[in-house]
Every structure is written in structure tokens, then in C-alpha cells.
Amino acid sequence: MSTDASLAKLVKKLPEGFLAGFATAAFQIEGSTDKGGRGPSIWDGFSRIPGKTLDGGNGDVATDSYRLWREDIALLKKYGVRAYRFSLSWSRIIPLGGRNDPINPEGIKFYSDFIDGLLEAKITPFVTLYHWDLPQALHDRYGGWLNKEEITQDFANYAKVCFEHFGDRVKHWLTLNEPWCVAVLGYGRGVFAPGRSSDRVRSPDPVNPDAVHPLLRTGGNSKTEPYIVAHSLLISHAHAVKIYREEFKHFQKGEIGITLNGDYYMPYDDDPANATAGQHALDFHIGWYADPVYLGHYPEYMKEVLGDRLPTFTPEEIALVHGSSDFYGMNTYTTCLAKNGGDDEFQGNTIYTFTRPDGTDLGCQAQCGWLQAYAPGFRDLLNYLYKVGPPTLRPPPSAPDMADGYGTRFGVTYVNYQTQERTPKKSAAFLMKFFKDNIAGYALPEDGDSSASAIPIGQTASGRPTKSLVNGHLQYASSSSDRTATHAPFEKSRLQNEVLRRAEDIARREESVAQREEDFATRELMVALKELVRREQAVSRREERLVAREKELLQRESSVAGITVSFNFSPAEIETDLNPVDRLISSKKAANGNPSSATPESVPSPSTRSDDTAFFENGVTTHQKLVLGFPDNLHLPSSIAA
């Protein structure tokens, strides 16, 4: 028995009824952004700004699925898929987005016909209400997801319109796709629409701030806006679920939930600090949304890091959010190694890497610099999520990544964007065989039917089919032009993505350093301010002591206010060096004709007076000068009253 056969006996098949399929998003595939009554979304204008997408591409045409949807369904049927997840364009259904704005009948008809086409092909539709393309009118009108009070009402109304028009045939609803990307990439890093962040080079302030809503008068705030937006997304999701459960589920018999993105973060090595770092990364990536929905609260680590920047749920809100998903919808792309350290808040302040301690890659490098395939990490993620709830898998989109433009290709179908020719990749054949071999009871739609005709997958300009799919088997043309079209210059693209990844990493580090420098400058100013406050307090204390001394002096002055002292000095006498009192005595002696007499006749004998009453007529004693506070050598004017 061969090894493959032995292994096959050990592998348990997926249960019968397992729904295997693909997924896309409206903006990624539809095109026709100005057709069929559709209104603009935030991605329309954002993708047209030079530099916002990797290759400058936008959604005006995309894969033209608004026109070619019948061909796409036929291709899905030939692939043998049982389920297809697609998103509705909010602005195609309600062009201006609001609860009081008109509904677009053309948009309703387009999606209704598409759903009917899937069901006719025996493909189960999974419908996403929101895949990042907010109507531009709501962003301009009140700030979009930054305005919780308004957006929750408008999203609930939009969801209700969809339930009313499609819920009779759609039994699997997804409210939001990857809300982490909306909040972090759209409002934290500024690389997704609407392109808001604290980086004024990437997210400049509006030219005329007074002309926009108050919430939009700056280019954004990476420290606060992502958490405000995430809070609004969770509450809007919960309101939509409440409406479906209360008004539609009992007769439409469907289920509703949310789809989160989350990669797995393995510890870099056996260091316990790195194990903790891995959990912190999961908290900021998955727990941010999963914990409120499935556990009823934000992760404790997020509360610790963010403090009052993390919005709080009211009792009514958390009662609405907790338990608001009938399943666990998960998009996962890769596995990273997590190391303790780092200052990227959106990564849980951990360091991510694909490089093991021995220098080898963790997994197999894909075309994108941020993506490696590592199967054991996928199992580890499933085991981690098992304690939260049973996961429902959703494959990554089979269309261009929005910010990566059209250079990076996902999915199993190659699309020539100039001709819109669809060409199945080898991965399509692999998956068809995988489904058949590993899903119990699975059979391709036309297995055993030799009369099945080939379905053209694409055509050249002359109309000649270049690829066909017969009875589930892919037939490839062998022309060099086909080989060139099917195999893009992988190495060049890989290097371009690696350059972009490193540039973004450097930009984040530069932003972090700039923030730390700004914080340091702020701390220096705080120290200088405290020093000035200390000096100011010292001056205030000196002023208080001086005021006290002045009050004391005023009291002393008031105690002698009744004493009057007169002098008969002439200016000439004042200018001499003689003591004024001595001059008085001398003048009295001269007047009595007894210049040698020591005691004038008019002056009482010192033996007959006290120091308190001793005085000279028209003069002042040294004792009195001291009582009045005058210095002994003060030259007084001819008369003074005090």
C-alpha cells in the first residue's frame, strides 16, 4: 500500500453537507461604480488618489462582475463549489446611505437576480452586509463610523432593507467583514479608506476645515479614532442582529453573525514573555471584537493599555452586543511568530516576524510580503478559538486586495483586467479534487456525465476559447501568450511587496520615534513649567513676608501718629556737617551771651526731667529721634510734622 493511500485511510473526511466555497467583496469585483443608480462609496474617491493603492488601480471596472455575473456563476458551478459569499454595496442599494434616503430599485433587482442565479446553480449564498465600502454621503454628512448615534441607526435601516428584499432566499447573513481592518487600516494607519490617521503626510488636514463636519476637521487621530470606530461597528452589528432575530428569523429561518479576521501568533521561542506577547497580539487582533460578542467585555489587556481611550459599553449596549452572533465567522491568512517588545499598539505592543530563531522561514512565502503559508498555525488557531465557539470558515477573497490594487492576486481564477478574460488557475483543479476526496458525499456537478459540454472560461480578442473546463477537468491552452498571462513575474512582484512591507515598517518606526520625541519634548516643558511654578511660589512667599512687615511698620507708624516735631533749621545749616542738635545747643548758648555754658537757661536741668519728656525748645533730643525711628546722623529739614 502506498504512503498516500495509507495516509488517506487515517484522515477523517469532512462531514457530508460541509459547505466549501469562495468569497469576494462588491468593490473588489463589481465595477460599474457609476452604473445602475449606484452612489459613491468612500473607496471610490480614496482609490483614485495617487499613491493610495499599490499600482494606482481603482474599482471603476475591477473584474466587471456587475456585467459578467452570469459567467461568474457558471464558473463557480463548474468548480463544484457549494457556497459563495459576496457582499452587497450599501451605496448601490441606498445611494446616499441614510435611513431617510431613497432606495435604488436597480440595485435591489441586480442583487435579487444574482441570488436567484446562485440558487439555480445549487450554490448557497452567504451575504455580507458591509465590506468596508461606506456610502460617501454618510461620511461627509456626519463623520460616518466616528458618529455612533447616527451610523447605528442608518446601518440598522440598511440591514432591514436587505432582510426585507433578500431574506426569503438568503439564509446566511454576515453583518460586517473584518471590522479590524476598517478601524485600524482606515482610521489608525490611514492605508484604507477613508485614509485617516495622525500622520499628516499620509492624512493631511482638510484645506477648508469649516466646510466639513466637525468630526472631520483634522486628518485623523490614530490614538482615539480606531477605538471609536470599532465601538460603533460592534454596536451597529448588534442592532442589525437584533432586528433580524426579532422581525425576520422566525419565518425566514436563517442565521446571522459577524466575520472577523485573525491570524495566529505563536511564541517566538520558549521564553514565557514571548508566550505572553502572543496572547497580547491575539487580544488586539481577535479579542478586540470576539470578546465583546462572545464573552461580553473587551480584553483586559486592551483596557490596561488604552485606559480611557477605549470606549465603554453602557449596560444596554453590552446586553445587545453579547451573544450577537449565531456562529463564529473567521478569515485567516497566515501565522506569525511573536516576540516581547515593540511599540505598535495595534499589534499589542509585540514584534511580529516570519523568521525563526535559527534564521529559517516559519512557512512558505507567498507573493505578498505579509503572507506565509503555515498549516500547523491554522490548526493552532482553530484550537484557540474552540473555547470561544465553533468556527465557521470563510476563505480569503478570490479577488484583488483593495489596497494592494491589482498586482497581488488571490483566488483560483486569473482575470486579464484588460480583456476581462477568466482563466482557471491550477489551484482551481487542486481544490476541486480536494473537495471530492475530503468531503463525505461530495461529487462534482457533472461527475459521470460524458455528455457534458465544455464551458468556455475565456476568449481571445478573436473569440477563440483559450481555456475550457470539461467534466470537472481543466484543459489548458499551451500558447506562450497564455503562459505569460497566467504566470505573472512573481519574483519582481515579491520584491516589490517586500520593499513596500519594509517601507511601511520603517514608516511606523519613524512615526513611533517622532511620537517619543514629541513626548520627550512635552516632558521637558513640564519640568520647566514645574521649576517656574516653584520659583513663583518662592516669590509669593517673599511677597507675603514683605506684606507682613509693611503691616507691622504701619502699626508702628500709627502708634506715633500724634507726635509733632518742629525744627528751625535753615537750608544752610542742613548742608553743614554739624549735628543739628549740637547746632541748636550752640545757637542757644550764643543767644544767652554765655557760649561756654554747658546748659542753656531755657533748657530744664537733666536732673529735673525724665528721658520721656526731655526736649529742647524748638528742637529734638537724641532719645526722641530714636523713638521716632530716625537715625542719629539724619539731616532733618527746618520743620517736619509726623
Side-chain angles (χ1 to χ4, degrees), residues 140-171:
D140 296 340
R141 187 180 297 170
Y142 54 69
W145 294 110
L146 291 168
N147 192 325
K148 180 184 70 174
E149 286 69 24
E150 291 292 334
I151 195 68
T152 52
Q153 296 182 70
D154 284 342
F155 184 75
N157 172 73
Y158 161 61
K160 185 173 182 178
V161 169
C162 295
F163 300 150
E164 289 172 338
H165 287 87
F166 315 126
D168 58 330
R169 290 155 291 164
V170 174
K171 307 304 176 186

Side-chain angles (χ1 to χ4, degrees), residues 321-400:
V321 171
H322 187 198
S324 58
S325 191
D326 295 335
F327 49 83
Y328 190 101
M330 180 182 67
N331 290 348
T332 187
Y333 301 87
T334 191
T335 296
C336 299
L337 295 169
K339 293 195 291 186
N340 185 42
D343 54 8
D344 189 333
E345 194 171 82
F346 302 132
Q347 294 182 179
N349 294 320
T350 64
I351 299 171
Y352 297 173
T353 181
F354 286 134
T355 306
R356 300 173 186 267
D358 63 5
T360 61
D361 279 349
L362 175 65
C364 178
Q365 181 63 51
Q367 182 182 0
C368 298
W370 54 269
L371 183 58
Q372 284 195 0
Y374 182 67
F378 180 56
R379 177 174 289 279
D380 289 341
L381 178 60
L382 291 178
N383 289 333
Y384 172 77
L385 293 172
Y386 184 75
K387 62 185 180 183
V388 178
T392 298
L393 271 61
R394 306 281 186 256
S398 53

Side-chain angles (χ1 to χ4, degrees), residues 581-633:
V581 177
D582 293 338
R583 188 172 295 282
L584 278 174
I585 295 173
S586 298
S587 65
K588 292 295 182 180
K589 289 179 180 180
N592 293 330
N594 186 13
S596 62
S597 174
T599 306
E601 294 179 358
S602 60
V603 179
S605 172
S607 62
T608 63
R609 58 177 172 80
S610 67
D611 287 341
D612 291 335
T613 60
F615 65 93
F616 291 102
E617 184 178 0
N618 297 322
V620 62
T621 67
T622 299
H623 177 70
Q624 287 172 319
K625 288 196 294 183
L626 293 175
V627 169
L628 293 173
F630 301 143
D632 289 344
N633 61 353

